[in-house]
């Protein structure tokens, strides 16, 4: 796993939602599948054997694979084409920040007063000014809120016949500013020397999304660090009863990215216990545990499958558990007995499409070890 920086040379648009018909706002992070698409586009743009109208043996278009063993052996992208489907692209966040956990709250009047984590403590006021606190959204780094700077662009559509401004064609785009740096991870490849520059996101033909790639360092996490976090959390929290039961160890799971459950999430639920059992099936950690608390939000989204050549490339709608969701579990098993399974969860993720950064989870995140600061 390598840590990568994307330095924006031009403003960036990553497909968000049309708030109204003529206003488009960007996402404030770069999803892993957008990074994958940008690299795939660059590979295909330089591939002499690529035919836009010719599918692979499985009927997929715009796919990255070895098209000719002999000819591809001389290409600088050969290692990428051979292993592209196994390379994992994580989400990239501004300045290395992370999403607010949904269990975090902030001072209503002062953003610089840090965060308050209510997963274990029912705080009702800011610890600094004693003012009101409210649930936080967005991103934070080193205990401080981080805002992603954006710029508003106004454009007009051109009539293809008159070559002049089209009536009713004025629209606005809220894009991420140039000059910013986004950080993330790529797993399954040792270097990115083949890609010095990339065009990422939407409207790249209009000058948006140009960025320079910088390799930072090895980003692999180790097993010892994970065990230390679990032990520190339980030392801070101590023994507590939940539902009349005291667990040997408490473990938190923070989702740093959206997660797509690999089971039906839209089943009717009647009680809190039903919801906890559903989450137990979603997590599927491979050892005995109980789900104690869940801070979560979900949304329904449908993307596009450009490997299909048809008029309607839209995918089937899926339920997405939003990034920032937090789950608290309790177990009576020894940490030494389950550490390999926990490490596998951190490394591999939870749910579907983890190869594109979905389901990236951090166990016993530092925010719960420091009370939010």
């Amino acid at each position: 796993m390598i840590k990568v920086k994307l330095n924006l040379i031009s403003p960036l648009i990553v497909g968000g939602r049309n708030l109204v018909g003529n206003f488009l706002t960007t996402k404030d992070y770069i999803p892993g599948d957008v990074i994958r698409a940008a690299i795939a586009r660059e590979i295909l743009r330089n591939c002499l054997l690529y035919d836009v109208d010719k599918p692979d043996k499985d009927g997929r278009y715009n796919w990255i694979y070895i098209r000719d063993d002999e000819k591809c052996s001389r290409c600088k992208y050969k290692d990428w084409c051979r292993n592209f489907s196994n390379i994992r692209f994580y989400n990239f966040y501004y300045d290395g920040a992370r999403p607010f956990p949904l269990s975090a709250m902030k001072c209503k009047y002062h953003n610089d007063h840090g965060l308050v984590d209510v997963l274990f403590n029912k705080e009702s006021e800011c610890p600094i000014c004693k003012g009101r606190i409210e649930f936080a959204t967005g991103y934070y780094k080193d205990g401080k809120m981080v805002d992603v700077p954006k710029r508003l662009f106004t454009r007009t559509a051109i009539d293809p016949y008159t070559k002049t401004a089209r009536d009713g064609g004025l629209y606005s785009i809220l894009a991420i500013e140039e000059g910013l740096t986004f950080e993330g991870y790529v797993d399954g490849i040792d270097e990115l020397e083949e890609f010095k520059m990339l065009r990422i996101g939407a409207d790249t033909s209009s000058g948006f999304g140009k960025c320079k790639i910088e390799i930072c360092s090895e980003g692999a996490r180790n097993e010892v660090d994970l065990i230390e976090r679990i032990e520190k959390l339980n030392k801070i929290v101590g023994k507590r009863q939940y539902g009349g039961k005291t667990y040997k160890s408490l473990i938190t799971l923070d989702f740093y990215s959206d997660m797509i459950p690999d089971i039906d999430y839209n089943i009717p639920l009647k009680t809190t216990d039903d919801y906890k059992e559903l989450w137990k099936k979603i997590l599927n950690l491979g050892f005995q545990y109980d789900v104690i608390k869940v801070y979560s939000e979900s949304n329904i989204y449908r993307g596009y499958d450009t490997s299909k050549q048809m008029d309607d490339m839209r995918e089937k709608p899926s339920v997405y558990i939003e990034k920032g969701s937090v789950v608290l579990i309790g177990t009576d098993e020894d940490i030494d007995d389950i550490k390999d399974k926990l490490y596998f969860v951190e490394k591999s993720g939870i749910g579907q499409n983890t190869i594109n950064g979905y389901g990236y989870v951090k166990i016993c995140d530092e925010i719960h070890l420091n009370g939010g600061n």
Side-chain angles (χ1 to χ4, degrees), residues 76-277:
K76 65 178 180 179
Y77 299 119
K78 61 181 181 297
D79 291 335
W80 283 87
C81 294
R82 187 173 290 112
N83 196 40
F84 195 70
S85 296
N86 298 320
I87 299 173
R88 186 180 182 188
F89 297 90
Y90 291 75
N91 289 355
F92 281 62
Y93 295 109
Y94 169 55
D95 197 28
R98 60 144 294 180
F100 274 121
L102 295 181
S103 63
M105 302 186 78
K106 68 179 183 67
C107 178
K108 183 177 178 65
Y109 308 106
H110 304 281
N111 288 338
D112 59 349
H113 280 190
L115 304 178
V116 177
D117 181 36
V118 296
L119 184 61
F120 297 105
N121 302 301
K122 294 297 182 183
E123 300 288 347
S124 59
E125 61 183 22
C126 173
I128 297 179
C129 69
K130 306 304 178 183
R132 291 177 57 188
I133 56 176
E134 60 184 6
F135 281 102
T137 58
Y139 304 90
Y140 82 96
K141 182 180 181 181
D142 300 328
K144 298 180 180 178
M145 296 182 64
V146 175
D147 292 322
V148 181
K150 298 176 182 177
R151 287 175 56 192
L152 185 65
F153 295 85
T154 300
R155 297 283 190 267
T156 184
I158 303 299
D159 189 296
Y161 298 103
T162 65
K163 306 301 181 184
T164 58
R166 187 174 69 195
D167 289 343
L170 195 66
Y171 63 97
S172 297
I173 300 172
L174 188 61
I176 297 173
E177 280 189 357
E178 69 273 23
L180 305 183
T181 298
F182 284 72
E183 297 180 11
Y185 294 93
V186 178
D187 195 7
I189 199 77
D190 294 329
E191 58 183 26
L192 291 166
E193 292 298 324
E194 299 87 352
F195 306 97
K196 298 294 185 181
M197 290 281 186
L198 271 184
R199 292 280 188 176
I200 294 176
D203 286 4
T204 55
S205 60
S206 300
F208 288 92
K210 187 177 181 181
C211 67
K212 184 178 180 181
I213 295 180
E214 177 185 348
I215 305 298
C216 299
S217 63
E218 295 293 327
R221 299 175 296 275
N222 60 70
E223 192 175 284
V224 175
D225 178 45
L226 185 149
I227 296 174
E228 288 177 351
R229 278 183 271 134
I230 295 175
E231 291 177 345
K232 184 176 180 181
L233 175 73
N234 284 272
K235 183 177 180 181
I236 293 173
V237 175
K239 298 296 181 182
R240 301 190 183 193
Q241 280 198 349
Y242 292 98
K245 184 175 181 180
T246 302
Y247 295 93
K248 191 172 184 178
S249 298
L250 299 175
I251 301 172
T252 62
L253 296 95
D254 287 59
F255 286 90
Y256 276 29
S257 64
D258 293 345
M259 186 264 287
I260 310 173
D262 51 11
I263 65 171
D264 186 3
Y265 189 79
N266 283 322
I267 60 177
L269 301 175
K270 297 181 180 179
T271 66
T272 299
D273 289 337
D274 291 339
Y275 191 66
K276 290 179 178 179
E277 284 301 314

Side-chain angles (χ1 to χ4, degrees), residues 6 20 51 60 63 95 128 162 165 185 199 204 220 238 246-247 272 306 308-309 318 338:
L6 298 177
V20 292
D51 184 347
R60 299 171 299 195
W63 208 254
D95 197 28
I128 297 179
T162 65
Y185 294 93
R199 292 280 188 176
T204 55
T246 302
Y247 295 93
T272 299
T306 57
K308 300 177 181 177
Q309 196 175 54
S318 299
I338 62 175

